[in-house]
Amino acid sequence: MDKILIDNSKIRTEFNTHLRERYNKRVLLSAPFGAGKSYFINEFFKRNPNYLSITLFPVDYSVSSNEDIFEIIKYDIIDSLFENYAKYLDLIVNDFSNLLIAQSFVANKLDILPLIKSLVKNTNIGAEELISFIESIKKIVSKFNEYKTDLSADERKLLSNYMGVLENKKGSIRENDEITNLIKDFLDRIKKKRKNKQFVLVIDDLDRLDPEQIFRLFNIFTAHHDSRKDVNKFGFDKVIFVCDLNNIEYMFRHKYGSKFNFDGYIDKFYSYKPFFFDHKKFLKEKASTYFVNSLNLGMEYKNFSDESFLGKLFGQKGDFFDLMVNLSHKMVDDELLRTRNFQKFKSFYLPVYKIKIGHREYDSYQFPLLIMCALMKQFHPRIEDFLSAVRSLKDNFEANYEVKSNTNSWIWENLLISYSIPFFIENFSETDHRHSTPYFVPVKNEFDEKLYLEYQVKEDWQYRYKQYYFIKAVKTNTVVNETSSDSPMSKPNPYHFLELALRQCLKHNFIWN
């Protein structure tokens, strides 16, 4: 399957317009976790030649102090520049001063080997130069430690150094040391050779951090934004924070209370306004096409077509396919399906296995609920996750069990009740469904009130296939002249009955992880 699940060309155009705002130097891109923000931002810069970009993933910063985080950010920026733009730098060994090595290795205890590997890979430094370069590191570390000892021996000199050279203090909001200047110089070199394109720093995966860590990182970048000149640290033209703004607000209010002004806090991190990445609309538009593409693969693999009996039941023209599309739309709307879930979906196929009910065996595809469950498990690898999504849909559904004589309550979701009914029937394998009278099965609603589901059965003798059709929910199973005497309940909750049926399937090992 094609990895690009949604056509986001329109939203790319909208984001490009947002990013091009003249004074929009700090950008906050917001969408729920799993919505495809990282994929979108990567694709945006791949397809947009007007920007240069590097991306940092701060999930690794969580165990460091604020001062150390900022030093690691410098390290990661330099490493990314080596990795992606080394050919525009004309790198020489002298660019990596003794101070850079000593500062990275001694002051921050960073692993210098990845930096050296990246340097070697992206420059023309020979073996002899590299050996000399590494030997110089050892000497510099020793000299750096001697320098620290000398400072400790002279407190007045230490105090004078601290007060007089604030710009060299790591973590200071006025920090402007050699490494910072080196990064600025690198950015300038690259931009000059790339026709002065704007350079963007992306801070991604903020959703993966704990609340404390998110606010620490936000505060670090706030402190290191020069508000006097309205410029970003290191000279980046734009900085983009990628996160879920609603989730950030929830964590903020949980941490500081509802009386604190969240808007006043968060607006420091964007210059214009947040950009909301609306993945739902585009994902829903493409869900049907995506199912069709994977359906064709599944149909070919199982060797049946839309014109076959099973194809008519489960193919693109059948009610089951429409149900899957509508259910996926519903789950997208309720944040229960996201782009990341669709990336796990491989094919729209019919599972083939046997289940035993009573003394008889049945093919799994004789029960649409089992097929639906197998397909949904591709979105939710654990059956418990699918059950959790169904419970959420149940809780959000506005059910109404009032009896109304003139109600017309049929909705597409009632098919879920139809698919659930076989798993409520006692002695299923022995039940005779050859009569024309209404059939009833007793169940309890979510309020523990007993009711009956009236249903019909249509059987295809050629294929030995039965279809169960939900008619209405009623209070009693009274029949007058072969017709139910009760008026229907207004709006029974289909997700409640789906959950009950799924639990029955789990109990009898009809479905599993």
Side-chain angles (χ1 to χ4, degrees):
M1 292 298 298
D2 190 349
K3 188 176 180 180
I4 301 177
L5 305 178
I6 58 175
D7 178 10
N8 50 29
S9 56
K10 182 178 178 182
I11 200 168
R12 284 201 308 270
T13 301
E14 294 172 354
F15 185 66
N16 188 47
T17 300
H18 181 83
L19 199 59
R20 287 173 59 189
E21 289 283 341
R22 182 177 178 183
Y23 299 107
N24 201 10
K25 297 182 178 181
R26 294 180 308 285
V27 177
L28 197 153
L29 187 148
S30 174
F33 179 77
K37 301 185 295 293
S38 298
Y39 180 74
F40 168 77
I41 206 74
N42 288 337
E43 285 297 305
F44 175 84
F45 285 114
K46 282 181 183 178
R47 295 166 179 262
N48 197 320
N50 297 318
Y51 296 100
L52 309 170
S53 70
I54 61 172
T55 301
L56 303 185
F57 302 94
V59 67
D60 295 328
Y61 304 166
S62 57
V63 296
S64 302
S65 67
N66 286 9
E67 177 180 316
D68 288 340
I69 286 176
F70 196 68
E71 294 302 304
I72 298 171
I73 287 172
K74 295 183 199 175
Y75 177 91
D76 284 350
I77 289 174
I78 292 176
D79 190 50
S80 294
L81 291 175
F82 287 169
E83 185 72 25
N84 299 295
Y85 300 102
K87 63 182 179 180
Y88 302 107
L89 289 172
D90 296 328
L91 295 175
I92 58 176
V93 173
N94 290 338
D95 276 327
F96 307 95
S97 66
N98 292 342
L99 179 60
L100 170 60
I101 303 304
Q103 185 173 9
S104 296
F105 185 77
V106 179
N108 302 294
K109 299 179 182 178
L110 296 177
D111 184 2
I112 201 67
L113 288 179
L115 195 61
I116 294 176
K117 290 178 182 178
S118 182
L119 171 64
V120 171
K121 183 169 66 174
N122 293 288
T123 63
N124 295 319
I125 297 175
E128 292 184 4
E129 291 173 294
L130 179 61
I131 292 173
S132 175
F133 179 57
I134 295 175
E135 288 298 323
S136 70
I137 295 174
K138 298 178 181 178
K139 296 178 182 179
I140 294 155
V141 171
S142 177
K143 290 181 180 179
F144 191 86
N145 285 326
E146 293 175 5
Y147 175 66
K148 287 176 64 179
T149 302
D150 292 341
L151 285 180
S152 299
D154 188 345
E155 292 184 354
R156 287 181 299 177
K157 184 177 180 181
L158 177 62
L159 181 60
S160 175
N161 182 72
Y162 174 78
M163 298 296 293
V165 198
L166 181 60
E167 288 188 345
N168 286 327
K169 183 181 184 301
K170 293 181 289 295
S172 166
I173 62 173
R174 303 290 182 247
E175 181 265 5
N176 195 32
D177 65 7
E178 280 81 352
I179 294 85
T180 299
N181 287 324
L182 185 64
I183 293 173
K184 291 178 181 178
D185 182 53
F186 282 176
L187 295 183
D188 286 340
R189 290 192 211 177
I190 296 168
K191 289 172 67 173
K192 286 178 181 177
K193 292 195 174 183
R194 295 295 301 274
K195 300 179 181 179
N196 286 319
K197 294 179 180 179
Q198 291 192 315
F199 227 126
V200 181
L201 175 64
V202 179
I203 313 296
D204 200 357
D205 274 351
L206 288 172
D207 302 276
R208 296 182 183 274
L209 297 176
D210 292 334
E212 291 287 341
Q213 297 159 4
I214 291 176
F215 292 122
R216 283 177 61 205
L217 196 66
F218 270 145
N219 290 335
I220 286 171
F221 272 90
T222 301
H224 286 274
H225 168 255
D226 193 339
S227 57
R228 301 169 303 169
K229 302 177 183 178
D230 192 28
V231 294
N232 292 316
K233 192 69 176 180
F234 309 116
F236 283 99
D237 298 288
K238 298 178 185 292
V239 176
I240 300 176
F241 296 97
V242 183
C243 62
D244 178 1
L245 185 57
N246 292 331
N247 192 38
I248 299 293
E249 180 175 8
Y250 173 82
M251 290 187 290
F252 178 88
R253 300 202 182 283
H254 180 75
K255 179 177 175 63
Y256 297 109
S258 58
K259 293 183 179 180
F260 284 84
N261 185 354
F262 174 73
D263 292 336
Y265 172 81
I266 201 66
D267 67 7
K268 301 182 185 74
F269 309 114
Y270 55 86
S271 305
Y272 179 43
K273 62 181 180 181
F275 183 87
F276 293 96
F277 174 57
D278 184 7
H279 66 295
K280 293 182 182 180
K281 175 183 176 183
F282 301 98
L283 194 56
K284 286 164 63 177
E285 286 177 353
K286 285 297 177 180
S288 179
T289 301
Y290 188 63
F291 281 149
V292 168
N293 292 338
S294 59
L295 173 71
N296 291 336
L297 177 65
M299 292 296 189
E300 181 181 349
Y301 177 74
K302 295 302 179 185
N303 196 27
F304 61 88
S305 66
D306 278 347
E307 299 307 315
S308 68
F309 175 71
L310 291 178
K312 290 177 180 178
L313 290 176
F314 302 109
Q316 185 180 354
K317 299 177 182 178
D319 290 339
F320 179 83
F321 186 86
D322 288 340
L323 172 73
M324 285 296 298
V325 172
N326 287 326
L327 183 59
S328 68
H329 287 183
K330 179 75 172 176
M331 297 178 81
V332 167
D333 283 335
D334 286 19
E335 301 287 358
L336 301 171
L337 277 185
R338 295 168 181 162
T339 305
R340 193 164 298 177
N341 298 105
F342 274 85
Q343 290 174 341
K344 299 174 183 177
F345 194 94
K346 301 303 180 185
S347 63
F348 196 109
Y349 72 101
L350 299 189
V352 179
Y353 62 93
K354 300 284 187 180
I355 65 171
K356 190 172 183 179
I357 304 178
H359 301 292
R360 295 182 58 184
E361 280 192 340
Y362 298 86
D363 289 311
S364 56
Y365 57 77
Q366 292 182 272
F367 301 93
L369 182 69
L370 300 184
I371 299 173
M372 180 185 71
C373 191
L375 297 176
M376 281 296 172
K377 276 173 59 180
Q378 294 185 65
F379 290 132
H380 306 280
R382 297 192 318 141
I383 194 65
E384 291 82 2
D385 295 331
F386 179 44
L387 270 170
S388 177
V390 171
R391 281 196 301 272
S392 180
L393 292 171
K394 178 186 74 173
D395 294 340
N396 293 331
F397 188 85
E398 296 181 1
N400 186 346
Y401 290 94
E402 293 182 4
V403 175
K404 294 186 178 181
S405 58
N406 59 347
T407 186
N408 183 12
S409 60
W410 182 260
I411 53 177
W412 66 266
E413 290 155 308
N414 283 348
L415 273 176
L416 296 172
I417 305 178
S418 297
Y419 296 162
S420 300
I421 283 174
F423 303 98
F424 301 143
I425 301 173
E426 287 191 41
N427 302 318
F428 175 83
S429 61
E430 309 299 328
T431 302
D432 186 357
H433 287 114
R434 290 178 293 180
H435 305 292
S436 59
T437 55
Y439 299 99
F440 299 89
V441 61
V443 290
K444 289 186 176 181
N445 65 16
E446 59 267 43
F447 307 108
D448 203 34
E449 300 167 340
K450 185 176 180 179
L451 55 84
Y452 292 86
L453 301 178
E454 181 183 344
Y455 67 96
Q456 292 178 348
V457 179
K458 293 182 180 179
E459 187 166 4
D460 188 297
W461 296 102
Q462 179 181 354
Y463 294 97
R464 296 193 303 168
Y465 191 92
K466 291 181 180 180
Q467 296 184 68
Y468 296 80
Y469 294 94
F470 167 66
I471 304 302
K472 59 185 177 181
V474 293
K475 283 191 173 183
T476 71
N477 59 348
T478 305
V479 176
V480 177
N481 296 327
E482 298 187 348
T483 304
S484 172
S485 62
D486 281 14
S487 296
M489 294 180 177
S490 180
K491 196 177 180 182
N493 191 332
Y495 300 104
H496 168 71
F497 301 112
L498 175 59
E499 181 187 8
L500 292 181
L502 289 173
R503 294 198 179 281
Q504 285 292 321
C505 291
L506 275 172
K507 178 180 177 181
H508 296 287
N509 293 317
F510 300 155
I511 57 176
W512 55 86
N513 285 319

